[in-house]
Amino acid sequence: MSNIGERIFKIKSYYFGDERGSNKKFADVVGEKPNTVSNWFGRKDGIGDAVIDKILSTFPNVDKGWLVGGNGDMSVSYTHLRAHETRRHLV
C-alpha cells in the first residue's frame, strides 16, 4: 500500500505529468507554495484535514477514501470523462 505522500504525488502526476515544472503547476492550482507541496509528497503518515480538503476541493473526482487511507481507486466511478474535462480546465 502506498503512503499519503505517494498518493498526493500520483494526483499531481495524473493531472500535470512528471516533467519539469509540474510541481509548480500543481502547487499553483491548490494555492500553495511549491516547497509546501514537495513536503506533502515526502509524507509517510497522516496529513492535516485542511490539506485533504484543499486537494479534494481542487480535484473533486479524487476519492477521499483512497486519498486518506489508500482504499479503492484514485477516482470516483464517474471520473474518466470528468478527469479529461478537469485536466483541460487546470492546464
Side-chain angles (χ1 to χ4, degrees):
M1 183 192 321
S2 63
N3 61 52
I4 186 81
E6 291 169 342
R7 291 189 296 275
I8 294 170
F9 188 84
K10 185 173 181 177
I11 295 167
K12 188 276 306 183
S13 296
Y14 181 80
Y15 286 99
F16 302 104
D18 292 323
E19 65 274 351
R20 184 181 178 124
S22 61
N23 287 3
K24 182 174 179 346
K25 289 178 187 176
F26 179 78
D28 290 345
V29 168
V30 296
E32 290 289 345
K33 296 176 184 175
N35 287 344
T36 300
V37 298
S38 290
N39 289 336
W40 296 349
F41 300 152
R43 295 296 298 256
K44 296 195 185 318
D45 54 1
I47 200 159
D49 289 340
V51 173
I52 298 296
D53 291 343
K54 186 174 281 201
I55 292 169
L56 293 174
S57 67
T58 305
F59 304 99
N61 59 321
V62 170
D63 184 78
K64 183 176 183 175
W66 174 83
L67 178 59
V68 173
N71 303 314
D73 296 322
M74 181 176 88
S75 299
V76 292
S77 61
Y78 65 89
T79 59
H80 195 66
L81 175 62
R82 300 228 4 121
H84 291 295
E85 294 170 1
T86 305
R87 186 179 300 135
R88 252 193 323 252
H89 174 71
L90 295 173
V91 177

